[in-house]
Amino acid sequence: MKLYQKLAAGVLSLAMMYQTGCGLSERAKEDEAKFRREESAIVKMIENESPFSQTPVEAPYKKEESKKWYENEEHYPFIINQKGDVIYTKAEGPFSPNSLYLASKGEEKNSREIAKDVSILKNYLYSTNFRDKENPDIYWFTDSPFLKNVKLMYLKNEEGTFVQKGPLLSAGDYFSRGGDADYLDLGDINGDGRLDLVYNDFIKVGNRKMNVISALIGKEDGGFDKKILYYLGEKKLEGLIARDVDNDGDSDLIFKLEGDDNHLFGLENQTKKNNSPLVFQDGFREKIESGNNTVNIAAITVLFNTIRIMNTVYMTTHIGR
């Protein structure tokens, strides 16, 4: 082949590569545009069907070092009421089963055993007070390497005496090892007095996995229906709490985003409204900053600082993956 023929062939080859590149670029643009259309439709559907405001309220968050005796990785503690009562786990020896304890006003000397031989999935210990504001109930997921054996247990608080009820559900009926349930809390989303679960989840948009906050809404027959509450997109959670911030009878959401150590975000549940003087925006900030509420900086510190250590590693092994 002569030199001018080689040059011509080279130019032709470059032209074909350029056209191919342009074609791929155009296809990528078309794929992105299609994804955005699908995403927009899904977000609109969630906005129309979700009981939550889709505009988060922001509050400052400051990570604090543990200051209390119960704020460590062994006890998996939880502040359950405005008095500062704390539930936590403890074993008498390295091979002994855990027991569940209640420390009145957060004082270790005031601790008493409320349940024996409990097997608790690490840090998946909860309390809710939507049934009885003065006497919060206690819940936990049992620990098991097999998803079908992970159960949600329930201690009913009868004026300070705890009576075991349940199990309420089997995790295997609602979660799968291919799903995302790294962060989960309990509350009453629709204000009907029945237990609901909120958790991080994902949905498929095109061929991508996008993050959402979902709920299992408790039904009268004891089952649960799934509902998507909020679209996170590519943002990921690093903590999730359900609490009635504005005292209107339904659980609002507080969450922390991965990589943001300076802010917490709140979503107002608009299912119920009353004449409470506590406005959600002000109530959210007040409860985060005050030490006299169920959702206070101490509880936030325990939850958001410990889940980072434990939940992602442990829960993904047992439920999330």
CSV table of all heavy atoms in Angstrom, one decimal, residues 148-197:
chain,number,residue,atom,x,y,z
A,148,LYS,N,-35.0,-15.7,58.3
A,148,LYS,CA,-36.4,-16.2,58.7
A,148,LYS,C,-36.6,-16.3,60.2
A,148,LYS,O,-37.7,-16.3,60.7
A,148,LYS,CB,-36.6,-17.6,58.1
A,148,LYS,CG,-35.8,-18.7,58.6
A,148,LYS,CD,-36.1,-20.0,57.9
A,148,LYS,CE,-35.2,-21.1,58.5
A,148,LYS,NZ,-35.5,-22.4,57.9
A,149,ASN,N,-35.5,-16.3,61.0
A,149,ASN,CA,-35.5,-16.4,62.4
A,149,ASN,C,-35.4,-15.0,63.1
A,149,ASN,O,-35.5,-15.0,64.3
A,149,ASN,CB,-34.5,-17.3,63.0
A,149,ASN,CG,-34.7,-18.8,62.5
A,149,ASN,OD1,-35.8,-19.2,62.2
A,149,ASN,ND2,-33.6,-19.5,62.4
A,150,VAL,N,-35.2,-14.0,62.3
A,150,VAL,CA,-35.2,-12.6,62.9
A,150,VAL,C,-36.6,-12.1,63.2
A,150,VAL,O,-37.3,-11.9,62.2
A,150,VAL,CB,-34.4,-11.6,62.0
A,150,VAL,CG1,-34.4,-10.2,62.6
A,150,VAL,CG2,-33.0,-12.1,61.8
A,151,LYS,N,-37.0,-11.9,64.4
A,151,LYS,CA,-38.3,-11.6,64.8
A,151,LYS,C,-38.3,-10.2,65.5
A,151,LYS,O,-37.3,-9.8,66.2
A,151,LYS,CB,-38.9,-12.6,65.8
A,151,LYS,CG,-38.8,-14.0,65.3
A,151,LYS,CD,-39.7,-14.4,64.1
A,151,LYS,CE,-39.6,-15.8,63.8
A,151,LYS,NZ,-40.4,-16.2,62.6
A,152,LEU,N,-39.4,-9.5,65.4
A,152,LEU,CA,-39.6,-8.2,66.1
A,152,LEU,C,-40.4,-8.6,67.4
A,152,LEU,O,-41.5,-9.0,67.3
A,152,LEU,CB,-40.4,-7.2,65.3
A,152,LEU,CG,-40.6,-5.9,66.0
A,152,LEU,CD1,-39.3,-5.2,66.3
A,152,LEU,CD2,-41.5,-5.0,65.1
A,153,MET,N,-39.7,-8.4,68.5
A,153,MET,CA,-40.3,-8.7,69.8
A,153,MET,C,-40.9,-7.4,70.5
A,153,MET,O,-40.5,-6.3,70.1
A,153,MET,CB,-39.3,-9.3,70.7
A,153,MET,CG,-38.7,-10.6,70.2
A,153,MET,SD,-39.9,-11.9,69.7
A,153,MET,CE,-40.5,-12.3,71.4
A,154,TYR,N,-41.8,-7.6,71.5
A,154,TYR,CA,-42.5,-6.5,72.0
A,154,TYR,C,-42.7,-6.6,73.5
A,154,TYR,O,-43.1,-7.7,74.0
A,154,TYR,CB,-43.9,-6.4,71.3
A,154,TYR,CG,-44.9,-5.5,71.9
A,154,TYR,CD1,-44.6,-4.3,72.5
A,154,TYR,CD2,-46.3,-5.8,71.8
A,154,TYR,CE1,-45.5,-3.4,73.0
A,154,TYR,CE2,-47.2,-5.0,72.3
A,154,TYR,CZ,-46.9,-3.8,72.9
A,154,TYR,OH,-47.8,-2.9,73.4
A,155,LEU,N,-42.3,-5.6,74.3
A,155,LEU,CA,-42.5,-5.6,75.7
A,155,LEU,C,-43.6,-4.4,76.0
A,155,LEU,O,-43.3,-3.3,75.8
A,155,LEU,CB,-41.3,-5.3,76.5
A,155,LEU,CG,-40.3,-6.4,76.9
A,155,LEU,CD1,-39.2,-5.9,77.7
A,155,LEU,CD2,-41.0,-7.5,77.6
A,156,LYS,N,-44.7,-4.8,76.4
A,156,LYS,CA,-45.8,-3.8,76.7
A,156,LYS,C,-45.6,-3.2,78.1
A,156,LYS,O,-45.4,-4.0,79.1
A,156,LYS,CB,-47.2,-4.4,76.6
A,156,LYS,CG,-48.3,-3.4,76.8
A,156,LYS,CD,-49.6,-4.1,76.6
A,156,LYS,CE,-50.8,-3.1,76.8
A,156,LYS,NZ,-52.1,-3.8,76.7
A,157,ASN,N,-45.5,-1.9,78.2
A,157,ASN,CA,-45.3,-1.2,79.5
A,157,ASN,C,-46.6,-1.0,80.1
A,157,ASN,O,-47.4,-0.1,79.7
A,157,ASN,CB,-44.6,0.1,79.2
A,157,ASN,CG,-44.1,0.8,80.4
A,157,ASN,OD1,-44.6,0.5,81.5
A,157,ASN,ND2,-43.2,1.8,80.3
A,158,GLU,N,-46.9,-1.7,81.2
A,158,GLU,CA,-48.2,-1.5,81.9
A,158,GLU,C,-47.8,-0.8,83.2
A,158,GLU,O,-47.7,-1.4,84.3
A,158,GLU,CB,-48.8,-2.9,82.2
A,158,GLU,CG,-49.2,-3.6,80.9
A,158,GLU,CD,-49.9,-4.9,81.1
A,158,GLU,OE1,-49.8,-5.4,82.3
A,158,GLU,OE2,-50.4,-5.5,80.1
A,159,GLU,N,-47.7,0.5,83.1
A,159,GLU,CA,-47.4,1.4,84.3
A,159,GLU,C,-46.2,1.0,85.0
A,159,GLU,O,-46.1,0.9,86.2
A,159,GLU,CB,-48.6,1.5,85.2
A,159,GLU,CG,-49.9,2.1,84.6
A,159,GLU,CD,-51.0,2.2,85.5
A,159,GLU,OE1,-50.9,1.8,86.7
A,159,GLU,OE2,-52.0,2.8,85.1
A,160,GLY,N,-45.1,0.7,84.2
A,160,GLY,CA,-43.8,0.4,84.8
A,160,GLY,C,-43.5,-1.1,84.9
A,160,GLY,O,-42.4,-1.5,85.1
A,161,THR,N,-44.6,-2.0,84.7
A,161,THR,CA,-44.4,-3.4,84.6
A,161,THR,C,-44.4,-3.8,83.2
A,161,THR,O,-45.3,-3.5,82.4
A,161,THR,CB,-45.5,-4.1,85.4
A,161,THR,OG1,-45.5,-3.8,86.8
A,161,THR,CG2,-45.3,-5.7,85.3
A,162,PHE,N,-43.3,-4.5,82.8
A,162,PHE,CA,-43.2,-4.9,81.4
A,162,PHE,C,-43.6,-6.3,81.1
A,162,PHE,O,-43.1,-7.3,81.8
A,162,PHE,CB,-41.7,-4.7,80.9
A,162,PHE,CG,-41.3,-3.2,80.9
A,162,PHE,CD1,-40.8,-2.6,82.0
A,162,PHE,CD2,-41.5,-2.5,79.7
A,162,PHE,CE1,-40.5,-1.3,82.0
A,162,PHE,CE2,-41.2,-1.1,79.7
A,162,PHE,CZ,-40.6,-0.5,80.8
A,163,VAL,N,-44.5,-6.5,80.2
A,163,VAL,CA,-45.1,-7.8,79.9
A,163,VAL,C,-44.7,-8.1,78.4
A,163,VAL,O,-45.0,-7.3,77.5
A,163,VAL,CB,-46.6,-7.8,80.0
A,163,VAL,CG1,-47.2,-9.2,79.7
A,163,VAL,CG2,-47.0,-7.4,81.5
A,164,GLN,N,-44.1,-9.3,78.2
A,164,GLN,CA,-43.7,-9.6,76.8
A,164,GLN,C,-44.9,-10.0,76.0
A,164,GLN,O,-45.7,-10.9,76.4
A,164,GLN,CB,-42.6,-10.7,76.8
A,164,GLN,CG,-42.1,-11.0,75.4
A,164,GLN,CD,-40.7,-11.7,75.5
A,164,GLN,OE1,-39.9,-11.4,76.3
A,164,GLN,NE2,-40.5,-12.7,74.6
A,165,LYS,N,-45.0,-9.4,74.8
A,165,LYS,CA,-46.0,-9.8,73.8
A,165,LYS,C,-45.3,-10.1,72.5
A,165,LYS,O,-44.1,-9.7,72.2
A,165,LYS,CB,-46.9,-8.6,73.5
A,165,LYS,CG,-47.6,-8.0,74.8
A,165,LYS,CD,-48.7,-8.9,75.3
A,165,LYS,CE,-49.4,-8.3,76.5
A,165,LYS,NZ,-50.5,-9.1,77.0
A,166,GLY,N,-46.0,-10.7,71.5
A,166,GLY,CA,-45.3,-11.0,70.2
A,166,GLY,C,-44.8,-12.4,70.1
A,166,GLY,O,-45.1,-13.2,70.9
A,167,PRO,N,-44.0,-12.6,69.1
A,167,PRO,CA,-43.4,-11.6,68.1
A,167,PRO,C,-44.4,-11.0,67.2
A,167,PRO,O,-45.5,-11.6,67.0
A,167,PRO,CB,-42.4,-12.4,67.3
A,167,PRO,CG,-42.9,-13.8,67.4
A,167,PRO,CD,-43.6,-14.0,68.7
A,168,LEU,N,-44.1,-9.8,66.7
A,168,LEU,CA,-45.0,-9.0,65.9
A,168,LEU,C,-44.9,-9.3,64.4
A,168,LEU,O,-45.8,-9.2,63.7
A,168,LEU,CB,-44.9,-7.5,66.2
A,168,LEU,CG,-45.1,-7.0,67.6
A,168,LEU,CD1,-44.9,-5.5,67.7
A,168,LEU,CD2,-46.6,-7.4,68.0
A,169,LEU,N,-43.6,-9.6,64.0
A,169,LEU,CA,-43.4,-9.9,62.6
A,169,LEU,C,-42.1,-10.7,62.5
A,169,LEU,O,-41.2,-10.6,63.3
A,169,LEU,CB,-43.4,-8.6,61.7
A,169,LEU,CG,-42.3,-7.6,61.8
A,169,LEU,CD1,-41.0,-8.0,61.1
A,169,LEU,CD2,-42.7,-6.3,61.3
A,170,SER,N,-42.0,-11.4,61.3
A,170,SER,CA,-40.8,-12.0,61.0
A,170,SER,C,-40.1,-11.2,59.9
A,170,SER,O,-40.7,-10.9,58.9
A,170,SER,CB,-41.1,-13.4,60.4
A,170,SER,OG,-39.9,-14.0,59.9
A,171,ALA,N,-38.8,-10.9,60.1
A,171,ALA,CA,-38.1,-10.0,59.1
A,171,ALA,C,-38.1,-10.6,57.7
A,171,ALA,O,-38.1,-9.9,56.7
A,171,ALA,CB,-36.7,-9.8,59.6
A,172,GLY,N,-38.1,-12.0,57.7
A,172,GLY,CA,-38.0,-12.6,56.4
A,172,GLY,C,-39.3,-12.4,55.5
A,172,GLY,O,-39.2,-12.6,54.3
A,173,ASP,N,-40.4,-12.0,56.1
A,173,ASP,CA,-41.6,-11.8,55.4
A,173,ASP,C,-41.6,-10.4,54.7
A,173,ASP,O,-42.4,-10.2,53.7
A,173,ASP,CB,-42.8,-11.8,56.3
A,173,ASP,CG,-43.1,-13.2,56.9
A,173,ASP,OD1,-42.6,-14.2,56.2
A,173,ASP,OD2,-43.7,-13.3,57.9
A,174,TYR,N,-40.7,-9.5,55.1
A,174,TYR,CA,-40.7,-8.2,54.6
A,174,TYR,C,-39.4,-7.7,54.0
A,174,TYR,O,-39.3,-6.7,53.3
A,174,TYR,CB,-41.3,-7.2,55.6
A,174,TYR,CG,-42.7,-7.5,56.1
A,174,TYR,CD1,-42.9,-8.3,57.2
A,174,TYR,CD2,-43.8,-7.1,55.3
A,174,TYR,CE1,-44.2,-8.6,57.6
A,174,TYR,CE2,-45.0,-7.4,55.7
A,174,TYR,CZ,-45.2,-8.2,56.8
A,174,TYR,OH,-46.5,-8.5,57.2
A,175,PHE,N,-38.3,-8.3,54.5
A,175,PHE,CA,-37.0,-7.9,54.0
A,175,PHE,C,-36.3,-9.0,53.3
A,175,PHE,O,-36.7,-10.2,53.5
A,175,PHE,CB,-36.1,-7.4,55.2
A,175,PHE,CG,-36.7,-6.3,56.0
A,175,PHE,CD1,-37.4,-6.5,57.2
A,175,PHE,CD2,-36.6,-5.0,55.5
A,175,PHE,CE1,-37.9,-5.5,57.9
A,175,PHE,CE2,-37.1,-3.9,56.2
A,175,PHE,CZ,-37.8,-4.2,57.4
A,176,SER,N,-35.3,-8.7,52.5
A,176,SER,CA,-34.5,-9.7,51.8
A,176,SER,C,-33.0,-9.4,51.9
A,176,SER,O,-32.7,-8.2,52.1
A,176,SER,CB,-34.9,-9.9,50.4
A,176,SER,OG,-34.6,-8.7,49.7
A,177,ARG,N,-32.2,-10.3,51.7
A,177,ARG,CA,-30.8,-10.1,51.8
A,177,ARG,C,-30.3,-9.2,50.6
A,177,ARG,O,-29.2,-8.8,50.6
A,177,ARG,CB,-30.0,-11.4,51.8
A,177,ARG,CG,-30.3,-12.2,53.1
A,177,ARG,CD,-29.2,-13.2,53.4
A,177,ARG,NE,-29.6,-13.9,54.6
A,177,ARG,CZ,-29.3,-13.6,55.8
A,177,ARG,NH1,-28.8,-12.4,56.0
A,177,ARG,NH2,-29.7,-14.3,56.9
A,178,GLY,N,-31.1,-9.0,49.6
A,178,GLY,CA,-30.7,-8.1,48.5
A,178,GLY,C,-31.3,-6.7,48.7
A,178,GLY,O,-31.1,-5.9,47.9
A,179,GLY,N,-31.9,-6.5,49.9
A,179,GLY,CA,-32.5,-5.2,50.1
A,179,GLY,C,-31.6,-4.3,51.0
A,179,GLY,O,-30.5,-4.6,51.3
A,180,ASP,N,-32.1,-3.1,51.3
A,180,ASP,CA,-31.4,-2.2,52.2
A,180,ASP,C,-32.3,-1.9,53.4
A,180,ASP,O,-33.4,-1.3,53.3
A,180,ASP,CB,-31.1,-0.9,51.5
A,180,ASP,CG,-30.0,-1.0,50.5
A,180,ASP,OD1,-29.0,-1.7,50.9
A,180,ASP,OD2,-30.0,-0.5,49.4
A,181,ALA,N,-31.8,-2.3,54.6
A,181,ALA,CA,-32.5,-2.0,55.8
A,181,ALA,C,-31.5,-1.7,56.9
A,181,ALA,O,-31.5,-2.3,58.0
A,181,ALA,CB,-33.4,-3.2,56.2
A,182,ASP,N,-30.5,-0.9,56.5
A,182,ASP,CA,-29.4,-0.6,57.5
A,182,ASP,C,-29.9,0.2,58.6
A,182,ASP,O,-29.4,0.1,59.7
A,182,ASP,CB,-28.3,0.1,56.7
A,182,ASP,CG,-27.7,-0.7,55.6
A,182,ASP,OD1,-27.8,-1.9,55.6
A,182,ASP,OD2,-27.2,-0.1,54.6
A,183,TYR,N,-30.8,1.1,58.4
A,183,TYR,CA,-31.3,2.1,59.4
A,183,TYR,C,-32.8,1.9,59.5
A,183,TYR,O,-33.6,2.0,58.5
A,183,TYR,CB,-30.9,3.5,59.0
A,183,TYR,CG,-29.4,3.6,58.8
A,183,TYR,CD1,-28.9,3.7,57.5
A,183,TYR,CD2,-28.6,3.5,59.9
A,183,TYR,CE1,-27.5,3.8,57.4
A,183,TYR,CE2,-27.2,3.5,59.7
A,183,TYR,CZ,-26.7,3.7,58.4
A,183,TYR,OH,-25.3,3.7,58.3
A,184,LEU,N,-33.3,1.7,60.7
A,184,LEU,CA,-34.7,1.4,60.8
A,184,LEU,C,-35.2,1.9,62.2
A,184,LEU,O,-34.5,1.8,63.2
A,184,LEU,CB,-34.9,-0.2,60.7
A,184,LEU,CG,-36.3,-0.7,60.8
A,184,LEU,CD1,-36.4,-2.1,60.0
A,184,LEU,CD2,-36.8,-1.0,62.2
A,185,ASP,N,-36.4,2.4,62.2
A,185,ASP,CA,-37.0,2.8,63.5
A,185,ASP,C,-38.5,2.5,63.5
A,185,ASP,O,-39.1,2.2,62.4
A,185,ASP,CB,-36.7,4.3,63.7
A,185,ASP,CG,-36.8,4.7,65.2
A,185,ASP,OD1,-37.0,3.8,66.1
A,185,ASP,OD2,-36.8,5.9,65.6
A,186,LEU,N,-39.1,2.7,64.7
A,186,LEU,CA,-40.5,2.4,64.8
A,186,LEU,C,-41.3,3.6,65.2
A,186,LEU,O,-40.8,4.5,65.8
A,186,LEU,CB,-40.7,1.3,65.9
A,186,LEU,CG,-39.8,0.1,65.9
A,186,LEU,CD1,-40.2,-0.8,67.1
A,186,LEU,CD2,-40.0,-0.6,64.6
A,187,GLY,N,-42.6,3.7,64.7
A,187,GLY,CA,-43.4,4.9,65.0
A,187,GLY,C,-44.8,4.6,64.6
A,187,GLY,O,-45.2,3.5,64.3
A,188,ASP,N,-45.6,5.7,64.5
A,188,ASP,CA,-47.0,5.6,64.1
A,188,ASP,C,-47.1,6.6,62.9
A,188,ASP,O,-47.4,7.8,63.2
A,188,ASP,CB,-47.9,5.9,65.2
A,188,ASP,CG,-49.4,5.7,64.8
A,188,ASP,OD1,-49.7,5.2,63.7
A,188,ASP,OD2,-50.3,6.1,65.6
A,189,ILE,N,-47.0,6.1,61.7
A,189,ILE,CA,-46.9,7.0,60.6
A,189,ILE,C,-48.3,7.6,60.2
A,189,ILE,O,-48.4,8.8,59.9
A,189,ILE,CB,-46.4,6.3,59.3
A,189,ILE,CG1,-44.9,5.8,59.6
A,189,ILE,CG2,-46.4,7.2,58.1
A,189,ILE,CD1,-44.0,6.9,60.0
A,190,ASN,N,-49.3,6.8,60.3
A,190,ASN,CA,-50.7,7.2,59.9
A,190,ASN,C,-51.6,7.6,61.1
A,190,ASN,O,-52.8,7.8,60.9
A,190,ASN,CB,-51.4,6.2,59.0
A,190,ASN,CG,-51.4,4.8,59.6
A,190,ASN,OD1,-50.9,4.6,60.7
A,190,ASN,ND2,-52.0,3.9,58.9
A,191,GLY,N,-51.0,7.6,62.3
A,191,GLY,CA,-51.8,8.0,63.5
A,191,GLY,C,-52.9,7.2,63.9
A,191,GLY,O,-53.9,7.6,64.5
A,192,ASP,N,-52.9,5.9,63.5
A,192,ASP,CA,-54.0,5.0,63.9
A,192,ASP,C,-53.7,4.2,65.2
A,192,ASP,O,-54.6,3.3,65.5
A,192,ASP,CB,-54.3,4.0,62.7
A,192,ASP,CG,-53.1,3.1,62.4
A,192,ASP,OD1,-52.0,3.2,63.1
A,192,ASP,OD2,-53.2,2.2,61.5
A,193,GLY,N,-52.6,4.4,65.8
A,193,GLY,CA,-52.3,3.7,67.1
A,193,GLY,C,-51.7,2.4,66.9
A,193,GLY,O,-51.4,1.7,67.9
A,194,ARG,N,-51.4,2.0,65.7
A,194,ARG,CA,-50.7,0.7,65.4
A,194,ARG,C,-49.3,1.0,65.0
A,194,ARG,O,-48.9,2.0,64.4
A,194,ARG,CB,-51.4,-0.1,64.3
A,194,ARG,CG,-52.8,-0.6,64.8
A,194,ARG,CD,-53.3,-1.6,63.7
A,194,ARG,NE,-53.9,-0.9,62.6
A,194,ARG,CZ,-55.1,-0.5,62.5
A,194,ARG,NH1,-56.0,-0.7,63.5
A,194,ARG,NH2,-55.6,0.1,61.4
A,195,LEU,N,-48.5,0.0,65.3
A,195,LEU,CA,-47.0,0.1,65.1
A,195,LEU,C,-46.7,0.1,63.6
A,195,LEU,O,-47.2,-0.7,62.8
A,195,LEU,CB,-46.3,-1.0,65.7
A,195,LEU,CG,-44.8,-1.1,65.6
A,195,LEU,CD1,-44.2,0.0,66.5
A,195,LEU,CD2,-44.2,-2.4,65.9
A,196,ASP,N,-45.8,1.1,63.1
A,196,ASP,CA,-45.3,1.1,61.8
A,196,ASP,C,-43.8,1.1,61.9
A,196,ASP,O,-43.2,1.5,62.9
A,196,ASP,CB,-45.8,2.4,61.1
A,196,ASP,CG,-47.3,2.5,61.1
A,196,ASP,OD1,-48.0,1.5,60.9
A,196,ASP,OD2,-47.7,3.7,61.3
A,197,LEU,N,-43.1,0.6,60.8
A,197,LEU,CA,-41.7,0.6,60.7
A,197,LEU,C,-41.2,1.5,59.6
A,197,LEU,O,-41.8,1.5,58.5
A,197,LEU,CB,-41.1,-0.8,60.4
A,197,LEU,CG,-41.3,-1.9,61.5
A,197,LEU,CD1,-42.7,-2.4,61.5
A,197,LEU,CD2,-40.3,-3.0,61.3
